[in-house]
Amino acid sequence: MQMRTQPPRAAGLRPANNGKRVRRERRTIAAMIGIFCHDHHGGHAEHHCDDCADLLRYANQRLDVCVFGESKLPCSECTVHCYSKSRRARIVEVMRYAGPRMPRRHPWLGLLHMIDKLRCRF
């Protein structure tokens, strides 16, 4: 008699977060990094400098493994800090600069981001 076995599963791996909320969060962080890069490094909205492109890749990796998934809060309200200390300081700098400029340059994403921040407070 032959035993059926399940294929080995990689330990600790799960599918990347790819729901509607996480996709919007990806667009928001890309827009924020785009604003920051354009104003500080002269980059274009689609083509960031190497440092900003690296930060965007890192932010997307963190969103892939966010433990909250679709019930994710805005990063500033999150209780779990998934960024490394050096990257956290950099992303905070980007968000502090780009956050107030979001409603003017990306009104829809800015509005939805503000609604998300208000929703988690009530």
Side-chain angles (χ1 to χ4, degrees):
M1 175 186 263
Q2 184 178 11
M3 293 183 81
R4 289 186 181 179
T5 59
Q6 294 185 358
R9 183 174 178 267
L13 294 181
R14 59 188 171 98
N17 292 325
N18 200 23
K20 183 178 176 182
R21 171 77 177 93
V22 174
R23 285 193 308 266
R24 182 165 38 100
E25 191 72 20
R26 287 181 201 281
R27 288 191 309 268
T28 302
I29 193 65
M32 286 184 169
I33 291 174
I35 290 170
F36 183 86
C37 188
H38 178 268
D39 292 355
H40 286 84
H41 307 136
H44 298 289
E46 299 86 29
H47 305 287
H48 307 304
C49 68
D50 291 340
D51 290 338
C52 292
D54 183 51
L55 183 64
L56 181 58
R57 264 191 308 277
Y58 184 75
N60 283 324
Q61 288 172 352
R62 298 288 84 205
L63 283 170
D64 281 343
V65 296
C66 179
V67 295
F68 296 108
E70 283 301 293
S71 60
K72 182 186 179 326
L73 301 171
C75 291
S76 60
E77 306 293 328
C78 192
T79 57
V80 177
H81 296 292
C82 58
Y83 286 82
S84 66
K85 287 192 184 267
S86 62
R87 302 275 178 108
R88 189 178 319 150
R90 180 85 167 124
I91 200 72
V92 165
E93 177 187 6
V94 167
M95 287 183 177
R96 281 193 180 147
Y97 179 82
R101 291 159 179 83
M102 280 291 290
R104 186 170 196 166
R105 296 194 189 174
H106 299 278
W108 188 245
L109 282 176
L111 176 67
L112 292 173
H113 189 65
M114 283 198 274
I115 289 171
D116 289 337
K117 287 180 85 167
L118 288 174
R119 185 180 299 151
C120 72
R121 292 184 183 180
F122 297 108

